[in-house]
């Protein structure tokens, strides 16, 4: 299943937590779980789109992100139903 965690800034970031966050993303990528990630240019936060077995696992992955674990960001998690050619864009 595909999930998204949307992050909202709460406290300033420091170099250590940013580097730890990047390592978290690299680990998701190495596991074949990372789909897309990045900061918003028009909102104080960012998102990570990733694969997980279920909502419980997805929540654990989000909570393990150093941005969230450190309290620098809060998050909301959403389940994403992908629309694509293979499923006729959900028609």
């Amino acid at each position: 299943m595909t999930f998204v965690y949307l992050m909202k800034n709460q406290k300033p970031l420091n170099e250590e937590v940013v580097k730890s966050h990047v390592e978290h993303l690299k680990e998701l990528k190495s596991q074949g779980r990372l789909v897309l990630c990045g900061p918003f240019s028009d909102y104080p936060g960012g998102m990570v789109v990733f694969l997980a077995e279920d909502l419980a696992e997805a929540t654990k992955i989000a909570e393990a992100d150093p941005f969230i674990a450190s309290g620098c960001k809060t998050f909301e998690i959403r389940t994403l139903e992908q629309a694509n050619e293979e499923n006729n864009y959900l028609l």
Side-chain angles (χ1 to χ4, degrees):
M1 297 178 72
T2 305
F3 293 90
V4 179
Y5 61 92
L6 303 165
M7 297 177 285
K8 183 175 180 183
N9 296 355
Q10 296 298 310
K11 298 188 311 189
L13 300 173
N14 60 52
E15 186 177 346
E16 180 182 334
V17 76
V18 172
K19 286 181 178 180
S20 295
H21 168 72
V22 169
E23 289 304 314
H24 176 73
L25 296 175
K26 287 179 178 179
E27 180 62 25
L28 290 176
K29 178 74 173 172
S30 75
Q31 296 171 1
R33 293 177 180 264
L34 184 63
V35 176
L36 175 72
C37 63
F40 297 121
S41 61
D42 63 347
Y43 183 82
M47 72 174 191
V48 177
V49 182
F50 64 106
L51 305 174
E53 291 296 317
D54 54 30
L55 182 58
E57 181 183 45
T59 301
K60 286 180 185 178
I61 289 169
E63 289 173 341
D65 186 321
F67 277 178
I68 294 163
S70 68
C72 290
K73 297 180 185 277
T74 56
F75 78 100
E76 295 180 34
I77 196 160
R78 299 284 183 262
T79 306
L80 177 67
E81 188 172 359
Q82 291 190 42
N84 54 44
E85 282 185 46
E86 292 174 5
N87 61 23
N88 198 28
Y89 297 94
L90 302 175
L91 282 181

